[in-house]
Amino acid sequence: MLMEWTALVCRELGVDPAKIDRDELLDLTKEVAHGVARPAAPLTAYLLGLAQGAGTAPPDAVERLTTLAHNWEQATTETMGDK
């Protein structure tokens, strides 16, 4: 079902499905949902899509965002400690 949905959405949006690493994107949203907040997962995916479309996303954007989400609690603790 997920494969069919992905193909349908790609066709509807004019996106080449070969350019989508579905598993990598799902891993990103899982990490964001668990590490940051559930509503942050679709928001992150949308923002990544905007950056990709604008050509401003770095080649390792998914990896970088996954790392940010994975380290979210530590990063926010360190930031709050600076105040």
Side-chain angles (χ1 to χ4, degrees):
M1 181 187 303
L2 186 55
M3 220 158 76
E4 292 85 359
W5 174 251
T6 303
L8 179 65
V9 171
C10 284
R11 186 173 63 235
E12 191 69 24
L13 297 176
V15 173
D16 179 0
K19 293 185 177 184
I20 306 294
D21 186 337
R22 186 188 70 219
D23 293 337
E24 184 180 47
L25 185 57
L26 290 174
D27 286 344
L28 166 63
T29 57
K30 176 187 74 169
E31 195 65 50
V32 172
H34 292 270
V36 181
R38 287 180 63 198
L43 177 61
T44 301
Y46 178 74
L47 293 172
L48 175 61
L50 287 176
Q52 291 284 1
T56 61
D60 62 343
V62 174
E63 182 180 323
R64 290 169 63 174
L65 293 174
T66 301
T67 300
L68 279 175
H70 182 74
N71 297 323
W72 174 250
E73 187 175 324
Q74 178 184 348
T76 55
T77 301
E78 289 171 3
T79 301
M80 297 302 281
D82 291 345
K83 290 184 177 187

